[in-house]
PDB file of all heavy atoms in Angstrom:
ATOM      1  N   ALA A 339     -40.456  28.636   0.570  1.00  0.00           N
ATOM      2  CA  ALA A 339     -40.358  28.592  -0.836  1.00  0.00           C
ATOM      3  C   ALA A 339     -40.841  27.385  -1.451  1.00  0.00           C
ATOM      4  O   ALA A 339     -41.406  27.471  -2.657  1.00  0.00           O
ATOM      5  CB  ALA A 339     -38.752  28.625  -1.050  1.00  0.00           C
ATOM      6  N   LEU A 340     -40.849  26.264  -0.836  1.00  0.00           N
ATOM      7  CA  LEU A 340     -41.319  25.003  -1.457  1.00  0.00           C
ATOM      8  C   LEU A 340     -42.795  24.798  -1.319  1.00  0.00           C
ATOM      9  O   LEU A 340     -43.370  23.916  -1.880  1.00  0.00           O
ATOM     10  CB  LEU A 340     -40.625  23.752  -0.955  1.00  0.00           C
ATOM     11  CG  LEU A 340     -39.095  23.605  -1.263  1.00  0.00           C
ATOM     12  CD1 LEU A 340     -38.500  22.427  -0.514  1.00  0.00           C
ATOM     13  CD2 LEU A 340     -38.884  23.448  -2.783  1.00  0.00           C
ATOM     14  N   LYS A 341     -43.501  25.555  -0.392  1.00  0.00           N
ATOM     15  CA  LYS A 341     -44.896  25.377  -0.033  1.00  0.00           C
ATOM     16  C   LYS A 341     -45.773  25.298  -1.282  1.00  0.00           C
ATOM     17  O   LYS A 341     -46.630  24.428  -1.380  1.00  0.00           O
ATOM     18  CB  LYS A 341     -45.392  26.321   1.012  1.00  0.00           C
ATOM     19  CG  LYS A 341     -46.722  25.991   1.549  1.00  0.00           C
ATOM     20  CD  LYS A 341     -46.967  26.651   2.923  1.00  0.00           C
ATOM     21  CE  LYS A 341     -48.350  26.343   3.458  1.00  0.00           C
ATOM     22  NZ  LYS A 341     -49.022  25.307   2.994  1.00  0.00           N
ATOM     23  N   PRO A 342     -45.799  26.305  -2.236  1.00  0.00           N
ATOM     24  CA  PRO A 342     -46.691  26.011  -3.398  1.00  0.00           C
ATOM     25  C   PRO A 342     -46.413  24.729  -4.088  1.00  0.00           C
ATOM     26  O   PRO A 342     -47.530  24.156  -4.522  1.00  0.00           O
ATOM     27  CB  PRO A 342     -46.235  27.213  -4.294  1.00  0.00           C
ATOM     28  CG  PRO A 342     -45.709  28.247  -3.322  1.00  0.00           C
ATOM     29  CD  PRO A 342     -44.870  27.448  -2.294  1.00  0.00           C
ATOM     30  N   LEU A 343     -45.344  24.303  -4.284  1.00  0.00           N
ATOM     31  CA  LEU A 343     -45.096  22.989  -4.905  1.00  0.00           C
ATOM     32  C   LEU A 343     -45.614  21.809  -4.060  1.00  0.00           C
ATOM     33  O   LEU A 343     -46.288  20.869  -4.517  1.00  0.00           O
ATOM     34  CB  LEU A 343     -43.567  22.816  -5.293  1.00  0.00           C
ATOM     35  CG  LEU A 343     -43.091  21.490  -5.827  1.00  0.00           C
ATOM     36  CD1 LEU A 343     -43.837  21.019  -7.070  1.00  0.00           C
ATOM     37  CD2 LEU A 343     -41.562  21.522  -6.133  1.00  0.00           C
ATOM     38  N   LEU A 344     -45.270  21.980  -2.826  1.00  0.00           N
ATOM     39  CA  LEU A 344     -45.712  20.870  -1.902  1.00  0.00           C
ATOM     40  C   LEU A 344     -47.161  20.817  -1.718  1.00  0.00           C
ATOM     41  O   LEU A 344     -47.805  19.767  -1.571  1.00  0.00           O
ATOM     42  CB  LEU A 344     -44.971  20.923  -0.559  1.00  0.00           C
ATOM     43  CG  LEU A 344     -43.504  20.789  -0.695  1.00  0.00           C
ATOM     44  CD1 LEU A 344     -42.774  21.019   0.656  1.00  0.00           C
ATOM     45  CD2 LEU A 344     -43.195  19.406  -1.165  1.00  0.00           C
ATOM     46  N   ASP A 345     -47.834  22.057  -1.661  1.00  0.00           N
ATOM     47  CA  ASP A 345     -49.344  22.030  -1.560  1.00  0.00           C
ATOM     48  C   ASP A 345     -49.865  21.318  -2.710  1.00  0.00           C
ATOM     49  O   ASP A 345     -50.916  20.566  -2.518  1.00  0.00           O
ATOM     50  CB  ASP A 345     -49.832  23.474  -1.585  1.00  0.00           C
ATOM     51  CG  ASP A 345     -49.553  24.192  -0.224  1.00  0.00           C
ATOM     52  OD1 ASP A 345     -49.369  23.514   0.776  1.00  0.00           O
ATOM     53  OD2 ASP A 345     -49.720  25.509  -0.326  1.00  0.00           O
ATOM     54  N   ARG A 346     -49.272  21.416  -3.897  1.00  0.00           N
ATOM     55  CA  ARG A 346     -49.926  20.644  -5.002  1.00  0.00           C
ATOM     56  C   ARG A 346     -49.491  19.273  -5.088  1.00  0.00           C
ATOM     57  O   ARG A 346     -50.254  18.345  -5.309  1.00  0.00           O
ATOM     58  CB  ARG A 346     -49.317  21.437  -6.316  1.00  0.00           C
ATOM     59  CG  ARG A 346     -49.764  20.839  -7.673  1.00  0.00           C
ATOM     60  CD  ARG A 346     -51.142  20.893  -7.970  1.00  0.00           C
ATOM     61  NE  ARG A 346     -51.645  22.259  -8.205  1.00  0.00           N
ATOM     62  CZ  ARG A 346     -52.697  22.541  -8.831  1.00  0.00           C
ATOM     63  NH1 ARG A 346     -53.474  21.626  -9.285  1.00  0.00           N
ATOM     64  NH2 ARG A 346     -53.136  23.800  -8.946  1.00  0.00           N
ATOM     65  N   PHE A 347     -48.251  18.827  -4.848  1.00  0.00           N
ATOM     66  CA  PHE A 347     -47.665  17.617  -5.121  1.00  0.00           C
ATOM     67  C   PHE A 347     -46.912  16.817  -3.880  1.00  0.00           C
ATOM     68  O   PHE A 347     -46.556  15.687  -4.184  1.00  0.00           O
ATOM     69  CB  PHE A 347     -46.772  17.661  -6.329  1.00  0.00           C
ATOM     70  CG  PHE A 347     -47.430  17.987  -7.589  1.00  0.00           C
ATOM     71  CD1 PHE A 347     -46.943  19.089  -8.331  1.00  0.00           C
ATOM     72  CD2 PHE A 347     -48.385  17.342  -8.068  1.00  0.00           C
ATOM     73  CE1 PHE A 347     -47.491  19.521  -9.470  1.00  0.00           C
ATOM     74  CE2 PHE A 347     -49.013  17.740  -9.387  1.00  0.00           C
ATOM     75  CZ  PHE A 347     -48.494  18.848  -9.924  1.00  0.00           C
ATOM     76  N   GLY A 348     -46.802  17.521  -2.904  1.00  0.00           N
ATOM     77  CA  GLY A 348     -45.988  17.012  -1.730  1.00  0.00           C
ATOM     78  C   GLY A 348     -46.448  15.608  -1.162  1.00  0.00           C
ATOM     79  O   GLY A 348     -45.715  14.858  -0.673  1.00  0.00           O
ATOM     80  N   ASN A 349     -47.703  15.360  -1.392  1.00  0.00           N
ATOM     81  CA  ASN A 349     -48.208  14.063  -0.728  1.00  0.00           C
ATOM     82  C   ASN A 349     -48.237  12.975  -1.673  1.00  0.00           C
ATOM     83  O   ASN A 349     -48.670  11.846  -1.502  1.00  0.00           O
ATOM     84  CB  ASN A 349     -49.651  14.344  -0.258  1.00  0.00           C
ATOM     85  CG  ASN A 349     -49.664  15.373   0.890  1.00  0.00           C
ATOM     86  OD1 ASN A 349     -49.148  15.160   1.899  1.00  0.00           O
ATOM     87  ND2 ASN A 349     -50.402  16.552   0.665  1.00  0.00           N
ATOM     88  N   GLU A 350     -47.688  13.152  -2.914  1.00  0.00           N
ATOM     89  CA  GLU A 350     -47.580  12.106  -3.932  1.00  0.00           C
ATOM     90  C   GLU A 350     -46.471  11.194  -3.567  1.00  0.00           C
ATOM     91  O   GLU A 350     -45.231  11.631  -3.728  1.00  0.00           O
ATOM     92  CB  GLU A 350     -47.398  12.720  -5.289  1.00  0.00           C
ATOM     93  CG  GLU A 350     -48.509  13.578  -5.739  1.00  0.00           C
ATOM     94  CD  GLU A 350     -49.742  12.978  -6.319  1.00  0.00           C
ATOM     95  OE1 GLU A 350     -49.674  11.718  -6.414  1.00  0.00           O
ATOM     96  OE2 GLU A 350     -50.610  13.650  -6.537  1.00  0.00           O
TER      97      GLU A 350
END
Side-chain angles (χ1 to χ4, degrees):
L340 291 173
K341 191 158 174 20
L343 171 57
L344 294 174
D345 282 346
R346 174 70 65 164
F347 298 120
N349 296 300
E350 300 281 355

